[in-house]
Amino acid sequence: MNKSMSRREALRWLTLTAAASLVACQPTNQAQNQPQSNAQPAEPVDNQPVNTPQTNTPSADQAYLSVVHGQDPAAITEAAVRALGGMERFVQNGFNVIIKPNICTDYYSYEYGATTNPIVVATLVSLALGAGAGRVRVMDYPFGGSAESAYVVSGIADAVQAAGGEMEVMNPAKFRSTQIPDGVSISNWDIYQDVLDCDLFINVPIAKQHGLATMTAGCKNMLGVIENRSAIHAQMGERIPDLVSLLRPELTVVDAIRTLMQNGPTGGSLDDVQINNTVIASHDVVTCDAYATRFLGLTPADIPYIVHAAERGLGVMDLNSVRIDETSL
């Protein structure tokens, strides 16, 4: 990647450009419902080219959002990414990739619906390496228990290592105060710097009920790369979109295979889990979350952080305005 322009500056520039094009192509009422940021695109330093994938501009043969149903987690994950144009759309040769699942606690394995399915995560590791990634790391900051223990209990550590990826325990020294230029409620926060510096950030949440947020999926999964998460919970409707405005995962893959319907985010009873056998994927984290609401009997309008993120032009919540490729295997 061109070091004269940071990945996040380049991504923000590309995203703002693509968002303007998307709104211009949508019906008038949709454009009114999705106001765009007034921020100006960052200018490339020294006018040098930016070596960043155009993740926000799907071509005519690529879905904006892909939804795949089926019994095989690996197969439906691969199919969901393929509908977007394949991992090659997102990965360039030698890329440093970080994959961020939801590894909630070390209390229970993934079967309890609080933690991302290990096979979904491992499949993305394999796809990224197969597309030419030079390094693929998987990490999270668990809500309960140690990272080392949670990685093992979840089943993700074994699956990722078998796929050729690395499990990384997040280093406390790498959480540093970072400016959030487009923040509304917060203007800076302690954020894990590797996520900002990597070439590709893949967000792999699980869709589940949450006692405070009502639902957690892709946008709220950003809390796993920051410090002082309780302060975000105090004003989630605005502060989660603030984090999304900076972190901007280029690819979000939502695990909706086993959905925790109540007692989230940690769960603890298999009776609270509903089997949906679905994976959702898009370059647009807001659109992923908008679709995921249906698994909890909700609509996008029921989740304040989705509404505010869409209003700020961080993604599209109107599912009728984008191309959705939905298949069953």
Side-chain angles (χ1 to χ4, degrees):
M1 173 170 288
N2 186 335
K3 297 302 180 184
S4 67
M5 185 180 192
S6 75
R7 168 182 172 272
R8 291 301 168 191
E9 289 171 338
L11 179 59
R12 182 167 175 265
W13 181 77
L14 290 167
T15 301
L16 288 169
T17 303
S21 300
L22 176 63
V23 170
C25 294
Q26 290 175 350
T28 302
N29 62 342
Q30 172 63 12
Q32 290 172 344
N33 289 334
Q34 306 290 337
Q36 300 302 299
S37 168
N38 292 322
Q40 296 299 312
E43 292 293 335
V45 178
D46 298 330
N47 295 317
Q48 294 184 18
V50 180
N51 183 25
T52 302
Q54 298 281 341
T55 59
N56 292 299
T57 53
S59 64
D61 62 341
Q62 296 169 352
Y64 191 96
L65 178 77
S66 62
V67 181
V68 184
H69 311 281
Q71 300 292 321
D72 183 339
I76 62 176
T77 301
E78 185 172 358
V81 174
R82 185 167 58 248
L84 301 178
M87 190 61 80
E88 292 76 11
R89 174 181 165 193
F90 303 94
V91 172
Q92 293 184 21
N93 192 45
F95 260 25
N96 171 21
V97 178
I98 288 179
I99 296 178
K100 197 296 188 184
N102 186 336
I103 308 178
C104 186
T105 72
D106 65 356
Y107 312 155
Y108 316 108
S109 64
Y110 76 94
E111 288 92 349
Y112 288 81
T115 292
T116 307
N117 188 297
I119 298 175
V120 173
V121 180
T123 300
L124 293 170
V125 171
S126 296
L127 291 174
L129 290 170
R135 185 184 189 191
V136 180
R137 288 175 288 166
V138 176
M139 61 187 71
D140 195 14
Y141 183 178
F143 172 77
S146 70
E148 295 92 336
S149 178
Y151 289 0
V152 172
V153 172
S154 68
I156 289 176
D158 285 347
V160 165
Q161 289 160 2
E166 307 171 36
M167 294 299 303
E168 180 171 309
V169 175
M170 299 170 80
N171 182 347
K174 291 185 177 181
F175 288 94
R176 294 199 291 271
S177 180
T178 304
Q179 294 297 310
I180 304 175
D182 294 329
V184 171
S185 179
I186 53 176
S187 59
N188 68 282
W189 212 263
D190 288 346
I191 296 176
Y192 199 69
Q193 295 301 296
D194 283 10
V195 173
L196 298 173
D197 296 336
C198 69
D199 296 313
L200 176 65
F201 178 32
I202 302 178
N203 181 25
V204 197
I206 185 168
K208 59 182 176 179
Q209 189 270 343
H210 191 283
L212 295 175
T214 305
M215 184 194 81
T216 177
C219 292
K220 192 175 180 300
N221 203 37
M222 299 300 94
L223 270 66
V225 297
I226 68 166
E227 292 276 28
N228 194 13
R229 290 175 285 188
S230 61
I232 298 294
H233 283 105
Q235 298 182 48
M236 281 187 289
E238 289 290 357
R239 292 185 174 184
I240 289 175
D242 284 346
L243 294 174
V244 171
S245 76
L246 177 70
L247 292 166
R248 296 279 191 168
E250 290 92 338
L251 172 61
T252 294
V253 179
V254 179
D255 167 16
I257 295 171
R258 304 174 69 87
T259 304
L260 182 62
M261 302 298 293
Q262 57 188 3
N263 296 317
T266 58
S269 172
L270 292 175
D271 292 337
D272 294 336
V273 177
Q274 177 174 293
I275 308 301
N276 290 310
N277 287 328
T278 301
V279 164
I280 307 158
S282 178
H283 66 278
D284 186 334
V285 61
V286 178
T287 304
C288 280
D289 284 10
Y291 189 96
T293 59
R294 65 187 58 192
F295 292 105
L296 290 161
L298 303 168
T299 70
D302 294 322
I303 311 299
Y305 65 77
I306 295 178
V307 174
H308 291 147
E311 288 174 347
R312 291 168 56 181
L314 300 175
V316 178
M317 84 177 217
D318 180 1
L319 297 174
N320 293 321
S321 69
V322 299
R323 176 188 161 189
I324 300 175
D325 183 32
E326 185 162 6
T327 59
S328 296
L329 299 183

